[in-house]
């Protein structure tokens, strides 16, 4: 299976929905207002963040399926897969219950939402909680498909879900009204359909009767030994990416969140290139690190060069054209509030994108504990830095804090990534 072809599928799967987003985001901003749209972006973030309740088993399943297939142990796959999927379902239910429990304090107290939007936000968060178990089980199925290197199937479904994330809220506004509840409900229906499609693709790859395989305690221990450390990374890493918007809402108010989240959500899409490459690289490295370390090292170094070559000029162009681009897309008033944020984050994106390669190598080796410990250490310093920067520099301070963190993250991961090929971590 071609690494290049798999990377292209990953790019298409992530990139095509963004074209739809470029149209629907201005429409939503115009019709529901900046604050309501800011809340919708928070719901997107919460559904994504609460997917951490898969306890790292999506990534663990990719790694374990890749290793089993590389070692010609296909007969072991049914029990491994069934065990992992049952666990993602149970923990997803726990995550959904937790979000439902937190819905009222989030909407009424913690996020400083205006009084008129608070009731609608509580209901929207309760509906969003239904999506958590759907998301965690889908993550498990996706991990299995990536272990089989079926990036075509994974990304056709990613296109559907990504398009639904942007299109369905806009259609809801167009035909039903500006209720956040209906916007979020449409997203949950889409996730249910996509879950069923993932399950069918996995079923087609497995032998008859695989669903009747026995729950295997040894498989569970192997998955959890990887997944437990992945869970720490899954908690801390997304928190460092999304916590800034919640802290901004708490410190500066929900009315300014969109001026930060919209450019951030746009810019972070630049990372589809390194994400596409490393998603394809991860299962390949997991297999090669047990069978051909020299080839794994070659792929690792080539991937670093490719991502640097793409990101440096791309991010420099974005920084130089930030004010003009934001004004053209969302208007001059919005651009005045956000263009400096774009400049600072564009610089950070270079470091963040390159860091995805050593991150993938470390975890492909099964050393999830290394990245987890690093993220814990970063978090201890990042949150106080974020509060300080917000206090003295406002929204620009949040961008500066994020960029500073990803620079430190890159150099630490490069150090740990180099040691992967010498088995010292």
């Amino acid at each position: 299976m071609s690494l290049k072809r798999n990377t292209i599928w990953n790019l298409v799967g992530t990139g095509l929905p963004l074209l739809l987003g470029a149209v629907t985001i201005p429409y939503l901003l115009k019709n529901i207002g900046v604050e309501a749209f800011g809340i919708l972006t928070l719901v997107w973030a919460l559904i994504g963040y609460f997917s951490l309740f898969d306890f790292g088993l999506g990534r663990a399943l990719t790694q374990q399926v890749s290793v089993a297939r590389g070692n010609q142990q296909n007969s072991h796959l049914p029990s491994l897969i069934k065990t992992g999927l049952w666990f993602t379902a149970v923990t997803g239910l726990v995550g959904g219950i937790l979000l439902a429990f937190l819905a009222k304090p989030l909407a009424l107290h913690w996020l400083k939402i205006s009084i008129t939007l608070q009731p609608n936000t509580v209901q929207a968060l309760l509906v969003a909680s239904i999506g958590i178990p759907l998301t965690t089980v889908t993550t498990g199925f996706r991990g299995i498909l990536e272990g089989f290197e079926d990036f075509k199937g994974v990304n056709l479904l990613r296109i559907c879900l990504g398009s639904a994330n942007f299109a369905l809220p806009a259609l809801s506004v167009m035909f039903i009204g500006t209720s956040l509840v209906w916007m979020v409900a449409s997203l949950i229906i889409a996730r249910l359909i996509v879950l069923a499609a993932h399950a069918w693709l996995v079923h087609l790859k497995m032998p008859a009767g695989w669903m009747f395989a026995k729950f295997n305690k040894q498989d569970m221990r192997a998955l959890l030994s990887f997944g437990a450390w992945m869970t720490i990374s899954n908690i801390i890493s997304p928190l460092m990416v999304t916590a800034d918007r919640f802290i901004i809402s708490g410190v500066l108010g929900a009315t300014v969140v969109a001026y930060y989240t919209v450019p951030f959500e746009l810019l972070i899409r630049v990372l589809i290139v390194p994400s596409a490459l490393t998603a394809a690289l991860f299962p390949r490295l997991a297999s090669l690190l047990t069978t051909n370390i020299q080839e794994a090292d070659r792929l690792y170094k080539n991937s670093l060069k490719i991502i640097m070559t793409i990101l440096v000029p791309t991010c420099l162009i974005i920084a130089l054209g930030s004010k003009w681009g934001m004004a053209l897309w969302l208007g001059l008033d919005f651009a005045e509030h956000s263009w400096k944020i774009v400049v600072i984050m564009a610089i950070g994106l270079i470091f963040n994108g390159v860091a995805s390669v050593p991150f993938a190598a470390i975890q492909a080796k099964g050393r999830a504990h290394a990245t987890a410990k690093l993220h814990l250490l970063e978090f201890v310093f990042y949150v106080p830095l974020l509060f300080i920067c917000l206090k003295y520099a406002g929204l620009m301070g949040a961008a500066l804090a994020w960029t500073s963190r990803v620079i430190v993250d890159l150099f630490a991961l490069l150090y740990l990534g180099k040691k992967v090929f010498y088995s010292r971590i």
Side-chain angles (χ1 to χ4, degrees):
M1 286 165 280
S2 167
L3 186 65
K4 179 180 179 181
R5 184 171 63 248
N6 290 343
T7 301
I8 291 171
W9 272 113
N10 287 335
L11 280 171
V12 172
T14 308
L16 280 183
L18 299 182
L19 300 178
L20 186 59
V23 176
T24 58
I25 287 175
Y27 174 82
L28 287 168
L29 277 167
K30 179 180 178 181
N31 286 275
I32 69 175
V34 173
E35 184 179 11
F37 183 75
I39 294 167
L40 181 61
T41 67
L42 295 178
V43 172
W44 282 336
L46 281 169
I47 292 176
Y49 183 71
F50 271 76
S51 66
L52 65 89
F53 277 88
D54 79 330
F55 282 90
L57 291 201
R59 190 78 156 179
L61 280 166
T62 301
Q63 198 259 352
Q64 290 288 311
V65 169
S66 298
V67 171
R69 293 180 66 239
N71 293 331
Q72 304 298 314
Q73 297 175 335
N74 292 337
S75 61
H76 178 60
L77 290 176
S79 64
L80 171 68
I81 288 171
K82 184 176 179 180
T83 301
L85 289 175
W86 272 108
F87 194 80
T88 59
V90 172
T91 56
L93 286 172
V94 174
I97 292 169
L98 179 59
L99 180 56
F101 180 77
L102 294 175
K104 187 170 286 188
L106 276 169
L108 301 186
H109 305 293
W110 298 348
L111 298 180
K112 293 187 178 180
I113 294 169
S114 61
I115 294 175
T116 55
L117 281 173
Q118 286 179 1
N120 205 228
T121 303
V122 172
Q123 296 171 18
L125 290 174
L126 289 172
V127 173
S129 68
I130 300 170
I132 306 308
L134 303 180
T135 301
T136 57
V137 177
T138 301
T139 300
F141 278 118
R142 184 183 301 123
I144 295 162
L145 291 172
E146 290 183 353
F148 278 97
E149 297 194 41
D150 183 8
F151 289 95
K152 178 180 178 180
V154 165
N155 285 288
L156 287 173
L157 294 177
R158 182 175 282 134
I159 291 169
C160 294
L161 183 59
S163 299
N165 276 335
F166 290 117
L168 293 183
L171 290 173
S172 176
V173 170
M174 192 179 300
F175 293 107
I176 300 175
T178 58
S179 169
L180 282 167
V181 175
W182 283 108
M183 284 186 260
V184 175
S186 68
L187 298 178
I188 302 308
I189 293 170
R191 286 184 178 272
L192 178 61
I193 295 170
V194 170
L195 167 60
H198 276 88
W200 178 247
L201 286 181
V202 170
H203 179 72
L204 293 177
K205 295 185 178 299
M206 300 301 293
W210 74 271
M211 291 180 291
F212 300 103
K214 293 182 179 180
F215 187 92
N216 191 306
K217 291 182 179 179
Q218 186 176 351
D219 285 335
M220 192 73 261
R221 284 194 295 269
L223 288 168
L224 284 178
S225 66
F226 185 97
W229 286 109
M230 270 300 304
T231 301
I232 296 174
S233 283
N234 284 348
I235 293 171
I236 302 300
S237 184
L239 187 59
M240 288 189 291
V241 172
T242 60
D244 44 15
R245 62 198 67 189
F246 294 98
I247 295 173
I248 289 168
S249 181
V251 174
L252 303 178
T255 55
V256 301
V257 171
Y259 294 125
Y260 181 85
T261 57
V262 170
F264 184 89
E265 290 296 329
L266 174 66
L267 284 170
I268 209 72
R269 306 306 175 186
V270 174
L271 296 182
I272 65 172
V273 176
S275 294
L277 177 58
T278 54
L281 186 66
F282 178 73
R284 187 67 58 85
L285 281 179
S287 178
L288 287 173
L289 285 169
T290 62
T291 59
N292 191 339
I293 193 80
Q294 290 79 17
E295 177 64 11
D297 186 44
R298 185 190 68 80
L299 281 176
Y300 173 76
K301 291 175 180 177
N302 283 346
S303 298
L304 285 171
K305 293 175 184 177
I306 290 169
I307 290 176
M308 282 286 291
T309 302
I310 294 171
L311 284 185
V312 170
T314 300
C315 291
L316 289 177
I317 290 170
I318 290 171
L320 291 172
S322 57
K323 188 172 183 178
W324 175 83
M326 292 300 293
L328 182 66
W329 186 37
L330 297 174
L332 185 59
D333 180 67
F334 201 99
E336 288 290 346
H337 286 88
S338 60
W339 75 271
K340 293 179 182 177
I341 295 169
V342 174
V343 172
I344 296 167
M345 286 189 165
I347 296 169
L349 281 178
I350 298 172
F351 296 88
N352 199 213
V354 176
S356 64
V357 179
F359 183 85
I362 294 163
Q363 294 196 343
K365 183 71 172 179
R367 311 289 190 174
H369 67 277
T371 53
K373 290 175 182 177
L374 175 61
H375 286 148
L376 278 171
L377 183 62
E378 288 178 13
F379 184 73
V380 170
F381 291 98
Y382 175 60
V383 173
L385 177 64
L386 180 57
F387 274 103
I388 292 169
C389 290
L390 276 172
K391 181 178 179 180
Y392 291 102
L395 289 177
M396 279 186 61
L400 286 168
W402 181 81
T403 298
S404 299
R405 182 192 67 79
V406 297
I407 291 172
V408 173
D409 183 66
L410 169 61
F411 287 107
L413 286 172
L414 286 172
Y415 173 75
L416 295 173
K418 185 177 180 180
K419 288 191 172 185
V420 161
F421 300 95
Y422 300 96
S423 300
R424 293 176 183 170
I425 61 170

